[in-house]
Amino acid sequence: MVIKTVFTTGEAAKICKVSQQTIIRCFDSGGLKGFRVPGSRFRRIPRESLYAFMKENGIPTDALESGKRKVLVVDDDKDLVELLVDVLKRDGRFETRSVNNGFDAGMMVKEYRPDLIVLDVMLPDINGKDVCARVRSDKSLEAVKIVCVSGLVEEDKIAELRRAGADEFLPKPFDTEKLIALICRLLEIESLV
C-alpha cells in the first residue's frame, strides 16, 4: 500500500476530522506548516507537518499512521459481520471493528471514532434508527457516515432512517462490492472497480 507523503487541505481535514475551513485557517495562520503549489492558490501539507500538528492539538494520529479508514460494523448476524469484516480487511484500505448490538455500538463509536458505520436497522436491543439519532446528536461525531442495512425495505422506514441521520440505505441481501463502492463514495475514496 502506498503511504501518502503530501496532503490537500481536504484530505488533512478528513484525517483530523475537522472542517476544511479549519485546516485552511490553521495553514494560513502558520499553525499548520505546508506550502502552496507554485502558480496556484492550492495549499499542500507534508505528512510530517500534519503529524506534528495533530500531536500538538491532541488529535489521534492513528488515521494518519495507518492510512486506513475506520469502519464499524454493527449487526447481530455474526456470519454477515464476519463476511463484511473479512471483505473490508482484504480490501486493504479499511480497518474494522464490529459489535453485535446497539448498546455496544454506542460505546464503540465514542472509543473507536470510526469514519463510517455499517449499521443493521433490526438490532436485538436498540433500533438502528435510535443509534443513528444518538450518533447525530454528538457534535464530535458529525463527520461519521452511516450506512443502514436491513431486510425490511419500506419506503417510509427508509425516509425515517434518513431523517434520523443515515447517509445511505442498502437492502439485505446485498453484494459486498456494492457496499464497498458505497463506502468509497461516502468517504470520497477512489473506487477500485
Side-chain angles (χ1 to χ4, degrees), residues 15-160:
I15 290 167
C16 294
K17 292 187 169 60
V18 296
S19 75
Q20 188 170 359
Q21 287 313 113
T22 300
I23 292 292
I24 289 170
R25 263 196 311 277
C26 293
F27 183 101
D28 290 350
S29 69
L32 176 56
K33 304 283 181 251
F35 59 91
R36 288 186 184 268
V37 176
S40 80
R41 298 181 354 256
F42 298 125
R43 301 160 180 89
R44 293 294 181 264
I45 302 144
R47 173 178 278 281
E48 313 73 68
S49 301
L50 186 56
Y51 185 80
F53 172 79
M54 291 170 80
K55 281 287 192 206
E56 282 164 25
N57 292 284
I59 300 168
T61 55
D62 50 353
L64 182 62
E65 288 163 2
S66 75
K68 295 184 180 187
R69 305 305 288 278
K70 293 156 87 173
V71 176
L72 174 62
V73 178
V74 183
D75 202 312
D76 59 331
D77 177 343
K78 289 185 172 48
D79 292 337
L80 179 63
V81 168
E82 201 174 295
L83 171 72
L84 294 180
V85 167
D86 184 52
V87 165
L88 289 164
K89 200 172 282 173
R90 276 199 322 247
D91 182 285
R93 295 175 292 174
F94 306 101
E95 175 189 306
T96 58
R97 298 247 176 108
S98 63
V99 293
N100 303 108
N101 62 57
F103 178 78
D104 289 346
M107 304 297 284
M108 185 61 80
V109 167
K110 288 206 179 318
E111 175 197 319
Y112 184 52
R113 308 202 74 73
D115 294 296
L116 184 137
I117 303 169
V118 176
L119 176 65
D120 181 21
V121 176
M122 305 301 282
L123 294 168
D125 56 347
I126 303 172
N127 183 305
K129 186 178 80 169
D130 297 335
V131 176
C132 274
R134 286 181 189 174
V135 170
R136 290 296 174 236
S137 69
D138 184 335
K139 277 285 170 236
S140 73
L141 300 172
E142 65 186 0
V144 176
K145 300 293 183 196
I146 303 173
V147 176
C148 285
V149 295
S150 178
L152 157 114
V153 276
E154 296 160 21
E155 284 307 314
D156 59 326
K157 295 278 187 254
I158 296 170
E160 277 178 32

